[in-house]
Amino acid sequence: MGKNIVIEQNFLEKGHTQMEFDAVHSSIEQKLKNQEIFLPSQFATLSKQARPQKPYLVEYLDYSFFDDFSDKNSFMYDSIRPGRSVNDPTVTDIRALQYNPSHGVIKYKLNFEEDYKDLPRRIRRRVVMPETLPPRPKLYQSRIKISVTKWKHLQELKTVIPSDCHGYYDSLPY
């Protein structure tokens, strides 16, 4: 909205299309073949190396990256479902969405050949520029804990993992 750009988002039908990212995933899978991986960070490194001429941009995320979107009052719409009653279209029937920043309106298509229609939902709140909104709270305040059983099983794996990787497994919160 801040850049006043209309965004069109298409949802592909399962089994009927091929996306540019299929080639990305394929090259990463090829790079991962026959590799020994002991740490999550090794996935990021190998993903970058999957295309040596122009390495993929890989961002290693941790718990602090994720924002909390549970406050539904901060959304402009309560739902993007195009129908309201039983047998009306649902979210999974949507094939395309169009976000128009000038009015804050979302339009949708149920098939690619039709024209966009206004989402039959009332806008919950007036359009506010994103830079004027307070930052969203973070979803997690610290690393997510795993169960004691999972932690113990990971400790057992240390017998086949290089010792310089043990610190990662020891530091996992449980």
Side-chain angles (χ1 to χ4, degrees), residues 125-150:
R125 62 178 181 80
R126 61 185 186 80
V127 177
V128 178
M129 297 311 273
E131 57 270 11
T132 64
L133 292 171
R136 288 196 184 275
K138 293 296 178 185
L139 184 58
Y140 305 108
Q141 306 310 310
S142 61
R143 291 171 67 187
I144 302 168
K145 293 182 179 184
I146 60 174
S147 70
V148 174
T149 305
K150 185 178 283 190

Side-chain angles (χ1 to χ4, degrees), residues 1-2 25-27 45 61 79 90 104 109-110 116 124 126 138 151:
M1 291 176 79
H25 289 202
S26 177
S27 64
T45 301
L61 306 178
S79 171
T90 64
K109 289 183 182 184
L110 296 179
Y116 279 104
R124 177 185 272 174
R126 61 185 186 80
K138 293 296 178 185
W151 186 84

